[in-house]
Amino acid sequence: MYCWRGGKRSGAMTHVLREVGWQAAQLEGGYKTYRRAVVTALETVPRGFRYIVLCGETGSAKSRLLEALAARGAQVLDLEQLARHRGSVLGNLPDTPQPAQKMFETLLWDALRRLDPAVPVFVEAESKKIGQLQVPDALLETMRAAECARVEAPVAARVAFLIEEYRHFLADPAALKTQLDCLIGLYGKETIAGWQARADRSEWQGLVAELLTAHYDPAYRRSTHKNYARLADAHVVRPRDLSPASIAGVGVGTARARGARARVA
């Protein structure tokens, strides 16, 4: 039980619940003290890990690769899963709102405190914001200075993967068209109208390929090369395709990973 400062209300409720048989406890200092502890921890704890940052253009199945690595015993920090967002203008998850910023930070702190600092942590390259949520500075700075692994996949494979991942847009083209309106400032009304028309005609392969080559790939390359200083020396991973079986068999071997107790290669 807790209230803002851990005062009489939560104390009284804790007493009542204990009297009727519940194993209740009161949070010392209340939520205010707890929140201060989370904020303080996120200023220092993220710097205590050795990250291996997965880079790769949109649709390279980086999140799926993180899941595969976790299934094989590697330490993984899945920021997009915590943020309930895929990290792009079309990244909203259907029927799954993002948590509040404070909840995101609590979830992140909880994930970090369960990791072993002696073992590398795989994480996907992210920008400052994931949807509407801010990534804490200490984590972002440490990630950007970390060793990288780059996933390379052909456009055709990425198009097929994205069509499957974003199938909710196929069932609701109007939602996709609304999201595309966010790009008018970058590409103008005529270009966006053309993309929206392709959605109306269900030209999914052509639309996704054009979005990748015209928008996502150039933007991702600019951002990643600017922000991840060690990308040029990245270990390159080239899956034969982006099927679940292929992703499950991908090896991510880097200098740090090979020397870790939890080897994933």
Side-chain angles (χ1 to χ4, degrees), residues 35-177:
R35 172 65 183 163
R36 187 184 303 119
V38 171
V39 171
T40 300
L42 290 179
E43 293 173 351
T44 57
V45 171
R47 302 185 191 277
F49 297 96
R50 298 177 293 147
Y51 299 100
I52 299 171
V53 182
L54 299 185
C55 302
E57 293 163 334
T58 301
S60 299
K62 299 182 293 296
S63 294
R64 293 290 175 266
L65 180 53
L66 283 182
E67 293 175 4
L69 290 168
R72 289 152 56 188
Q75 288 199 131
V76 166
L77 179 62
D78 192 339
L79 295 175
E80 293 185 0
Q81 195 278 329
L82 297 178
R84 305 294 191 269
H85 198 278
R86 292 192 175 108
S88 70
V89 69
L90 302 179
N92 291 325
L93 299 179
D95 303 319
T96 307
Q98 289 195 266
Q101 180 69 32
K102 290 180 180 179
M103 176 56 73
F104 171 63
E105 292 173 2
T106 294
L107 294 171
L108 175 58
W109 166 78
D110 186 54
L112 288 169
R113 74 189 183 95
R114 298 171 187 273
L115 299 176
D116 182 354
V119 179
V121 177
F122 290 91
V123 63
E124 183 177 343
E126 301 290 352
S127 59
K128 176 64 177 175
K129 294 181 70 176
I130 304 176
Q132 297 301 313
L133 300 177
Q134 299 275 347
V135 179
D137 289 340
L139 174 59
L140 198 63
E141 291 168 5
T142 311
M143 287 171 53
R144 288 178 172 178
E147 187 174 1
C148 298
R150 188 172 76 250
V151 184
E152 292 186 355
V155 171
R158 293 192 287 134
V159 167
F161 177 80
L162 288 170
I163 289 175
E164 186 62 32
E165 284 286 286
Y166 289 81
R167 187 160 291 278
H168 55 284
F169 281 134
L170 277 64
D172 187 8
L176 173 60
K177 291 166 65 177

Side-chain angles (χ1 to χ4, degrees), residues 158-213:
R158 293 192 287 134
V159 167
F161 177 80
L162 288 170
I163 289 175
E164 186 62 32
E165 284 286 286
Y166 289 81
R167 187 160 291 278
H168 55 284
F169 281 134
L170 277 64
D172 187 8
L176 173 60
K177 291 166 65 177
T178 299
Q179 291 296 101
L180 290 174
D181 281 336
C182 299
L183 300 176
I184 288 177
L186 290 174
Y187 301 104
K189 292 183 178 180
E190 183 177 352
T191 297
I192 300 305
W195 291 344
Q196 291 171 332
R198 300 194 80 168
D200 286 332
R201 296 191 297 268
S202 298
E203 297 176 359
W204 301 118
Q205 288 190 336
L207 174 59
V208 173
E210 190 171 347
L211 285 171
L212 287 177
T213 56

